[in-house]
Amino acid sequence: MIKKILLTFVVLLIAIAAGAFLYLDSIVTRGIEVVGSRVLGTNVTVDSVALSPLGGQGSIADLRIANPAGFNADHVFELGYISLSLDVSSIFDDVITIESITIAQPVITYASRITTDNIRALLANLPASGDGNSSSSTDTGTSKQVVIRELIILNPQLTLSAGLVSAPIQLPDLVLRDIGTDLGAVSIAEALRVILSALRASILQADLPNLDLLRDSIENSVQETTDQTGRAIDDAVDNLGNRLRGLRN
């Protein structure tokens, strides 16, 4: 009789654990969308998350971060595929431990206004240190802290567009290590601040396109270049040049 009760209890525990693992992917997806949107002040969406409850290996598909208010392009970041390794048990703790994150070929759309750009706007949206301790922050998970041992961004491409023209810029790979390990875990906002700041620094050091070659390429691609079309191309390239110079300021 006792053996039967124990067996029933074990089966019940296994069923509960299996149910928790079944919903783990949706929990992580919801967490990324809710916490990411709250911290960045713009819409964050995820197509799917696949996470192994045993090994902690997983992937995130089609994570998109919408442009902040006031910028025309739909998204500032489009992250098609992310692989990660983390301590699964830490998802439910106050500190989430992430061993590695690899982001492959992200597309970054740069948009500028007179006094700012969309990446600066995201940085400005991030709450200051200590702002994530309210009860509402606890309810949405923004009070959680993270340790990221390694973050690798492979083949990032920056796209600058202005009217008729767009200029793709291939950025170098970016590797960041030990985010939140030197002084203890950091808030999600602080981790994002480190990542966005490093990415913006990479953009500032990038080799910018030759505008004259870009103008010639566009004119050659237009079958019939009238004076009006030529002026429109010149205006668009000059506009793009102003945006490129804005990256340096």
Side-chain angles (χ1 to χ4, degrees):
M1 182 65 180
I2 295 177
K3 288 184 178 180
K4 187 175 181 179
I5 294 175
L6 289 175
L7 181 60
T8 302
F9 182 68
V10 170
V11 171
L12 181 60
L13 288 178
I14 293 174
I16 293 173
F21 290 155
L22 182 64
Y23 289 102
L24 185 60
D25 293 349
S26 61
I27 291 171
V28 174
T29 299
R30 182 63 177 163
I32 293 172
E33 292 181 336
V34 171
V35 176
S37 298
R38 181 179 180 86
V39 170
L40 289 170
T42 189
N43 194 36
V44 176
T45 59
V46 175
D47 185 66
S48 64
V49 171
L51 188 62
S52 168
L54 299 179
Q57 307 296 319
S59 63
I60 301 171
D62 294 329
L63 190 156
R64 294 183 174 90
I65 301 175
N67 253 314
F71 296 94
N72 293 329
D74 289 338
H75 300 97
V76 55
F77 293 108
E78 296 177 81
L79 314 180
Y81 183 80
I82 304 170
S83 61
L84 70 159
S85 174
L86 76 162
D87 180 354
V88 175
S89 63
S90 70
I91 292 175
F92 305 101
D93 294 337
D94 292 334
V95 177
I96 300 174
T97 302
I98 302 173
E99 297 297 333
S100 67
I101 303 174
T102 301
I103 304 172
Q105 297 181 319
V107 176
I108 306 160
T109 301
Y110 173 79
S112 66
R113 296 189 301 190
I114 296 175
T115 59
T116 188
D117 59 58
N118 51 353
I119 297 179
R120 284 185 193 176
L122 285 180
L123 284 166
N125 285 346
L126 293 174
S129 299
D131 286 355
N133 295 324
S134 65
S135 59
S136 61
S137 295
T138 303
D139 293 340
T140 58
T142 54
S143 62
K144 281 185 176 291
Q145 294 185 308
V146 294
V147 168
I148 303 175
R149 303 197 187 282
E150 184 177 65
L151 170 70
I152 302 174
I153 302 178
L154 299 174
N155 300 319
Q157 179 169 299
L158 180 72
T159 299
L160 301 98
S161 60
L164 295 174
V165 301
S166 62
I169 299 175
Q170 187 66 52
L171 299 177
D173 295 347
L174 181 64
V175 179
L176 300 175
R177 292 189 173 91
D178 298 327
I179 300 174
T181 59
D182 292 338
L183 301 176
V186 295
S187 68
I188 293 174
E190 284 304 312
L192 288 172
R193 195 185 312 279
V194 170
I195 296 167
L196 288 175
S197 297
L199 187 57
R200 191 169 189 278
S202 178
I203 292 172
L204 294 177
Q205 297 168 10
D207 293 329
L208 301 181
N210 185 302
L211 295 182
D212 290 333
L213 293 178
L214 182 62
R215 180 185 285 105
D216 292 340
S217 175
I218 296 169
E219 289 177 347
N220 291 334
S221 67
V222 177
Q223 293 182 348
E224 182 179 355
T225 305
T226 64
D227 290 341
Q228 185 175 3
T229 302
R231 285 194 298 271
I233 292 173
D234 287 341
D235 290 343
V237 172
D238 289 341
N239 187 8
L240 180 59
N242 291 333
R243 292 176 184 238
L244 290 170
R245 286 187 288 273
L247 277 172
R248 302 300 192 191
N249 298 326

